[in-house]
């Protein structure tokens, strides 16, 4: 268990309601849309609770019989907060998901921490193949702190090192992906 258990902001608020309290809700269309062409690969990056919307994307695609799904998940410890770990392992075993997980606190004391963006840099050739050659859509979900910028930098690194672009061209490529709706960020602080 974590030293201090994490609770979702909304979940904790809802749990504090008493019987008889009135709750008004509304539904809004989300930011995430899937590619019209179901053969288009997707790369989902969802560290921590950011994996929840990524789970919905992956489940919908798997249900439709689409296997070109990649998930980069990150958390502190495989034994403490590996959300849906067994589900991801099963989908990977079935060939329906390429799954990469970074457990930032599982290494030896004093060792460098590994985050999702580090795995993406390790996989730069594959990231370029998916994004640059196959036209993958990328979804980033989670904390709005440093992670989204670091993930964008990892994608730009792949474009530069394996796509033969300059640093500026790689950054512009990422920006163009966002303008085209191929890179979607649903992050919160």
């Amino acid at each position: 268990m974590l030293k201090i258990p994490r609770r979702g902001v909304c979940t904790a608020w809802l749990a504090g309601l008493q019987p008889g309290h009135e709750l008004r809700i509304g539904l809004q269309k989300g930011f995430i849309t899937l590619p019209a062409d179901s053969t288009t690969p997707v790369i989902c990056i969802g560290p921590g609770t950011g994996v929840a919307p990524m789970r919905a994307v992956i489940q919908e695609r798997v249900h439709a019989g689409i296997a070109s799904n990649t998930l980069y998940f990150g958390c502190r410890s495989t034994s403490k907060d590996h959300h849906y770990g067994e589900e991801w392992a099963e989908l990977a075993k079935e060939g329906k998901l390429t799954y990469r997980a970074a457990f930032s606190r599982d290494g030896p004391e004093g060792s460098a921490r590994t985050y999702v963006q580090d795995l993406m840099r390790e996989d730069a050739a594959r990231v370029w193949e998916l994004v640059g050659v196959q036209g993958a859509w990328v979804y980033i979900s989670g904390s709005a702190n440093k992670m989204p910028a670091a993930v964008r930098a990892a994608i730009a690194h792949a474009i530069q090192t394996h796509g033969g672009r300059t640093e500026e061209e790689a950054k512009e490529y990422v920006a163009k992906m966002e303008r085209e709706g191929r890179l979607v960020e649903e992050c919160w602080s």
Side-chain angles (χ1 to χ4, degrees), residues 79 96 175:
S79 64
K96 299 173 182 176

Side-chain angles (χ1 to χ4, degrees), residues 17 87 94 134 151-152 157:
L17 294 176
E87 182 177 329
E94 294 170 359
Q134 297 180 36
V151 165
R152 287 169 186 270
H157 167 78

Side-chain angles (χ1 to χ4, degrees), residues 10 13-14 22-30:
C10 183
W13 183 82
L14 288 170
E22 187 174 308
L23 177 64
R24 294 177 187 218
I25 63 169
L27 299 176
Q28 292 181 324
K29 182 176 167 68

Side-chain angles (χ1 to χ4, degrees), residues 71-116:
L71 173 63
Y72 287 92
F73 172 74
C75 64
R76 291 174 182 235
S77 171
T78 187
S79 64
K80 296 178 182 177
D81 54 352
H82 189 185
H83 307 306
Y84 312 110
E86 291 176 9
E87 182 177 329
W88 306 135
E90 186 62 29
L91 288 172
K93 181 179 168 186
E94 294 170 359
K96 299 173 182 176
L97 176 70
T98 299
Y99 180 55
R100 297 278 280 141
F103 304 106
S104 63
R105 307 301 194 277
D106 280 354
E109 188 69 34
S111 66
R113 294 179 177 168
T114 302
Y115 299 103
V116 290

Side-chain angles (χ1 to χ4, degrees), residues 12-154:
W13 183 82
L14 288 170
L17 294 176
Q18 299 299 316
H21 281 155
E22 187 174 308
L23 177 64
R24 294 177 187 218
I25 63 169
L27 299 176
Q28 292 181 324
K29 182 176 167 68
F31 295 112
I32 296 176
T33 57
L34 297 176
D37 179 356
S38 63
T39 63
T40 302
V42 299
I43 301 173
C44 298
I45 301 102
T49 57
V51 79
M54 302 301 94
R55 183 178 186 223
V57 167
I58 292 165
Q59 285 179 335
E60 184 168 332
R61 288 175 56 89
V62 166
H63 180 74
I66 304 163
S68 54
N69 309 300
T70 299
L71 173 63
Y72 287 92
F73 172 74
C75 64
R76 291 174 182 235
S77 171
T78 187
S79 64
K80 296 178 182 177
D81 54 352
H82 189 185
H83 307 306
Y84 312 110
E86 291 176 9
E87 182 177 329
W88 306 135
E90 186 62 29
L91 288 172
K93 181 179 168 186
E94 294 170 359
K96 299 173 182 176
L97 176 70
T98 299
Y99 180 55
R100 297 278 280 141
F103 304 106
S104 63
R105 307 301 194 277
D106 280 354
E109 188 69 34
S111 66
R113 294 179 177 168
T114 302
Y115 299 103
V116 290
Q117 59 268 24
D118 300 318
L119 296 180
M120 293 180 74
R121 282 180 172 269
E122 286 176 17
D123 297 348
R126 184 168 189 282
V127 169
W128 166 250
E129 172 64 28
L130 290 171
V131 169
V133 178
Q134 297 180 36
W137 286 29
V138 178
Y139 303 95
I140 306 170
S141 177
S143 170
N145 200 1
K146 297 177 184 176
M147 181 272 299
V151 165
R152 287 169 186 270

